Amino acid sequence: MVSFAKKVKRELCITTDKIKSCCGYSLIYGMLFCASIKEEKLCLKVLNSDVGEFFTNLCQQLSVKNTFMYSYEKNRIKILPEFLRYNSLAEVKKNIFKCGKCKEYFLKGIFLTVGTVNDPEKSYRLELVFDDENKANEISFLLDDMGLCPMYTKRNDKSVLYFRRSEAIEDFFANIGATSLAFDIMNSKINKELINNANRVTNCDAANINKAIVASNKYNTVINYLIETEKIKRLPEHLQEMALKRVELKELSFAELGKQFSPPISKSGVHHRLEKILEFYNELED
């Protein structure tokens, strides 16, 4: 079964041919921002094949091959270190960001390579997991500037920026241009709230019904005893009438039972008369 995070990244990898050159380079630099140097090459582990293919297609689209040498094989993107002329966020912002959308594409690249998100049907959590604490701090400052304000934790030797509120995750996806994903999470939350509210109402109704059944059984047991022993005749006439109607119409609520009298009596009036019958029974027991 394909994970929710993989579905999200697959959707993010669907781009149009109209991406501007500056935004394309911003996206590439975002994807490579967290690469580590191995065997004198920048190496980025890509667990999602969609992301690796997306990277190579984007490089071909922007004719990046003319600028630097790269390869993608065995879920790893390898690049000659000379390509990353700008290895800090400040340098990237100064030399790569050319329009208002570049920051959005850069952050999208970050998520594609080090991001993961839980299925909102189960729980709300989006993470960016970094090997380098300095890189995590730089991205944290960037997110703060965008008003997203992630939380931070250490997990083993990893630095993790994360969001665990649905609103924050919606804002994150909106800020990387994935508005459809933001709406999907919003709709999921609305559906979950509707289901939870319906369950609460159902549980409340069930509890009230159980209470009513218990109360009804209590009165019916007493009334049946009084009828069988003929001690019901010792009750005042209006209480005898109440007792007989209660056992005859035991499926009715107090409010519905009160309407069977002429003139009708209130729900509290029904309850009061039944309590009087119960009080009479208790006196007999004493």
Side-chain angles (χ1 to χ4, degrees):
M1 181 181 292
V2 179
S3 69
F4 180 77
K6 187 166 185 177
K7 290 178 182 177
V8 168
K9 291 187 178 183
R10 182 175 294 169
E11 184 169 336
L12 288 174
C13 289
I14 301 173
T15 60
T16 65
D17 295 331
K18 296 181 180 179
I19 184 171
K20 294 169 63 175
S21 178
C22 60
C23 293
Y25 270 95
S26 297
L27 205 165
I28 289 173
Y29 265 93
M31 295 178 72
L32 296 174
F33 191 72
C34 306
S36 58
I37 296 178
K38 292 183 179 179
E39 300 175 355
E40 298 184 350
K41 286 186 178 181
L42 284 168
C43 182
L44 183 66
K45 189 175 182 181
V46 181
L47 298 178
N48 190 322
S49 59
D50 293 315
V51 175
E53 292 169 7
F54 172 71
F55 175 84
T56 56
N57 291 337
L58 183 60
C59 287
Q60 291 169 6
Q61 180 181 328
L62 297 174
S63 299
V64 171
K65 200 84 172 182
N66 299 329
T67 308
F68 68 99
M69 295 300 294
Y70 68 87
S71 64
Y72 168 60
E73 56 184 15
K74 295 181 180 179
N75 289 337
R76 280 175 171 77
I77 297 171
K78 295 182 179 180
I79 301 173
L80 292 178
E82 300 88 79
F83 166 64
L84 281 184
R85 293 165 292 174
Y86 316 118
N87 200 32
S88 71
L89 181 57
E91 291 175 320
V92 172
K93 290 168 73 173
K94 180 180 177 181
N95 297 285
I96 300 297
F97 292 0
K98 303 296 183 184
C99 74
K101 290 257 182 199
C102 286
K103 185 188 297 184
E104 169 186 307
Y105 279 95
F106 177 80
L107 191 57
K108 179 178 178 179
I110 293 288
F111 178 79
L112 283 174
T113 49
V114 299
T116 184
V117 62
N118 288 0
D119 186 341
E121 295 291 338
K122 299 176 182 176
S123 63
Y124 299 116
R125 191 175 181 91
L126 183 148
E127 293 186 348
L128 302 173
V129 184
F130 300 86
D131 291 329
D132 188 329
E133 186 173 2
N134 292 328
K135 298 287 188 184
N137 288 334
E138 287 188 281
I139 299 304
S140 181
F141 288 134
L142 176 65
L143 293 169
D144 286 341
D145 288 341
M146 298 170 73
L148 295 176
C149 304
M151 289 178 277
Y152 174 84
T153 188
K154 292 286 288 187
R155 184 185 301 145
N156 298 326
D157 58 341
K158 308 287 186 181
S159 296
V160 182
L161 302 178
Y162 67 98
F163 304 96
R164 61 184 183 190
R165 291 175 54 250
S166 61
E167 295 83 359
I169 298 172
E170 291 162 17
D171 289 344
F172 179 89
F173 282 128
N175 273 278
I176 65 172
T179 51
S180 62
L181 289 171
F183 281 120
D184 286 345
I185 292 173
M186 196 179 301
N187 289 334
S188 174
K189 180 177 67 175
I190 291 171
N191 290 336
K192 190 183 293 186
E193 289 176 351
L194 288 173
I195 291 171
N196 288 340
N197 288 337
N199 287 339
R200 278 195 291 271
V201 170
T202 300
N203 291 339
C204 183
D205 288 344
N208 288 337
I209 290 170
N210 286 336
K211 288 179 182 178
I213 290 172
V214 170
S216 178
N217 287 339
K218 175 179 68 174
Y219 295 125
N220 290 344
T221 300
V222 168
I223 292 169
N224 285 330
Y225 168 78
L226 294 176
I227 292 173
E228 290 171 6
T229 59
E230 297 188 352
K231 291 177 181 177
I232 192 172
K233 296 177 181 178
R234 294 166 57 181
L235 285 171
E237 192 172 316
H238 68 288
L239 293 183
Q240 289 187 43
E241 183 184 13
M242 172 58 69
L244 294 174
K245 283 190 179 294
R246 174 69 276 180
V247 293
E248 178 187 354
L249 306 169
K250 55 186 175 184
E251 75 281 357
L252 298 185
S253 66
F254 285 1
E256 293 169 331
L257 184 61
K259 295 176 183 178
Q260 307 302 314
F261 291 83
S262 182
I265 59 178
S266 66
K267 175 182 174 181
S268 60
V270 171
H271 181 260
H272 175 73
R273 293 188 185 188
L274 289 171
E275 284 296 311
K276 282 291 184 182
I277 295 171
L278 192 60
E279 187 179 309
F280 170 74
Y281 168 80
N282 290 331
E283 288 176 357
L284 286 178
E285 289 295 295
D286 292 339

